[in-house]
Amino acid sequence: MASLQHTKKTYTLNTGAKIPAIGLGTWQSKPNEVREAVKNALLKATATLTRTALAYGNEAEVGQGIKDSGVPREQIWITTKLDNTWHHRVSEGIESSLKDLGVEYVDLYLVHWPSSTDPNDKSKHLPDWDFIKTWQEVQKLPATGKVRNIGVSNFGIKNLEKLLNDPSTKIVPAVNQIELHPNNPSPKLVAYNTSKGIHSTGYSCLGSTNSPLYKDPTLLQLAEKKGKTPQQCLLQWGIQKGWSVIPKSVSKERIDANFELDGWNLTDEEVAQLDNLKDRFKVCGDSWLPIKVFFGDDE
């Protein structure tokens, strides 16, 4: 999965790099839609983050969208991820991503899930490998020049503790990309990330397709009062909470609207209204993985 990020606002990572506050997610985008979406996002933004992943199977299309946009590479923040079945082949995984994206380096490379899945049987975990060994290999990448920053995704507190306390961990992840929206706010996990100098990036920040969020009267009333879309309010909420956001969209109109977050904000009271939405749901669970990775330690 690759993502592009873009907006005037940035966050400074523990490496000193500046990650844009909003980007474009490409998970679940259909073939031939991603290329145009990436181009539109890059043309709309000036410091765009684009997010993709090896597992999405769309890195080549993301790369074409980048090329079509004509935006200089140095103005684009590209994030991609190491797929679960490539944990024991990190160097091959990044080479595959760079080739498909058509770039010489990515700005951020993430371990997609803390699950080292057997490529020959995805119902099984590799018996002689875990994410600690994966991170040992990922830590070697910045020295190659092929990766500027490294991080993780879908790591809860339990697994972060395991990673950070291992003697082999010499580099603290720059980013933990996790599901974040008002119905899955994960305050304990976000606070833990912050306490360790790890930046949080929120995926499924709009609650994903057909989200129950869009029927929430508090959100709808807030959007109407602000003269903004519910999506814009959700994205602004996340940015004001201190994390970057990577909404997925393929519609040019929606992409344009999603990037129109400069020049206005939510009041403290309005942020609190979204903080206090009562419903809870997760878009991404772990039942499809061979091991459990979510332990309810994020609330």
Side-chain angles (χ1 to χ4, degrees):
M1 171 184 76
S3 58
L4 299 172
Q5 272 173 267
H6 202 350
T7 188
K8 294 176 182 177
K9 184 175 177 59
T10 61
Y11 294 103
T12 302
L13 304 181
N14 59 20
T15 60
K18 295 185 182 298
I19 186 171
I22 182 170
L24 175 72
T26 60
W27 178 49
Q28 291 185 329
S29 294
K30 297 175 183 176
N32 304 318
E33 290 182 335
V34 174
R35 180 175 180 171
E36 193 69 14
V38 168
K39 182 184 77 172
N40 289 334
L42 287 171
L43 292 176
K44 177 66 177 178
T46 49
T48 294
L49 172 149
T50 188
R51 181 196 66 153
T52 189
L54 190 59
Y56 298 171
N58 62 15
E59 286 177 314
E61 206 172 330
V62 169
Q64 284 297 318
I66 292 170
K67 187 176 180 180
D68 291 348
S69 75
V71 175
R73 171 66 185 92
E74 62 271 17
Q75 293 182 19
I76 306 169
W77 179 286
I78 302 175
T79 298
T80 197
K81 297 177 177 178
L82 178 72
D83 192 13
N84 305 342
T85 55
W86 291 67
H87 274 210
H88 56 314
R89 299 173 290 164
V90 171
S91 60
E92 294 173 52
I94 185 60
E95 288 295 343
S96 175
S97 291
L98 293 176
K99 180 181 178 182
D100 284 346
L101 286 165
V103 296
E104 295 182 354
Y105 70 93
V106 294
D107 299 272
L108 178 62
Y109 196 51
L110 303 177
V111 178
H112 202 157
W113 291 87
S115 173
S116 303
T117 304
D118 186 339
N120 298 313
D121 185 349
K122 294 183 180 180
S123 68
K124 295 180 180 178
H125 193 266
L126 289 171
D128 58 348
W129 202 271
D130 62 11
F131 63 78
I132 298 295
K133 290 186 177 180
T134 307
W135 192 249
Q136 290 170 10
E137 296 303 307
V138 170
Q139 287 181 125
K140 299 174 183 177
L141 295 178
T144 68
K146 297 171 183 177
V147 172
R148 298 283 174 88
N149 304 274
I150 57 175
V152 296
S153 180
N154 297 300
F155 273 60
I157 294 173
K158 181 177 179 179
N159 281 332
L160 283 173
E161 291 266 82
K162 182 178 178 182
L163 179 66
L164 296 177
N165 290 330
D166 193 90
S168 69
T169 296
K170 308 300 182 185
I171 300 177
V172 174
V175 171
N176 186 14
Q177 190 180 108
I178 54 178
E179 180 177 339
L180 286 172
H181 50 78
N183 289 155
N184 191 71
S186 303
K188 288 183 180 178
L189 178 52
V190 170
Y192 182 88
N193 288 342
T194 302
S195 75
K196 300 300 181 181
I198 302 170
H199 174 72
S200 299
T201 292
Y203 72 77
S204 293
C205 45
L206 302 178
S208 201
T209 307
N210 299 318
S211 170
L213 270 169
Y214 300 123
K215 297 177 183 177
D216 189 284
T218 300
L219 173 61
L220 295 177
Q221 289 165 17
L222 174 58
E224 185 176 2
K225 183 179 82 169
K226 301 294 286 188
K228 303 294 181 181
T229 68
Q231 291 88 346
Q232 287 172 324
C233 291
L234 290 171
L235 296 174
Q236 194 71 274
W237 172 81
I239 290 172
Q240 289 184 219
K241 296 283 285 185
W243 55 76
S244 52
V245 292
I246 41 175
K248 174 255 173 181
S249 183
V250 294
S251 159
K252 184 179 186 304
E253 183 178 282
R254 289 177 184 167
I255 290 170
D256 288 351
N258 286 347
F259 282 102
E260 291 170 358
L261 301 179
D262 293 321
W264 67 279
N265 57 26
L266 302 176
T267 65
D268 290 346
E269 180 183 3
E270 290 164 344
V271 170
Q273 286 179 336
L274 295 181
D275 285 345
N276 291 315
L277 297 188
K278 302 302 180 188
D279 292 343
R280 290 288 179 268
F281 71 88
K282 278 183 72 67
V283 175
C284 288
D286 60 7
S287 61
W288 60 281
L289 292 168
I291 59 169
K292 189 172 180 61
V293 302
F294 296 137
F295 306 99
D297 58 359
D298 55 354
E299 288 298 320

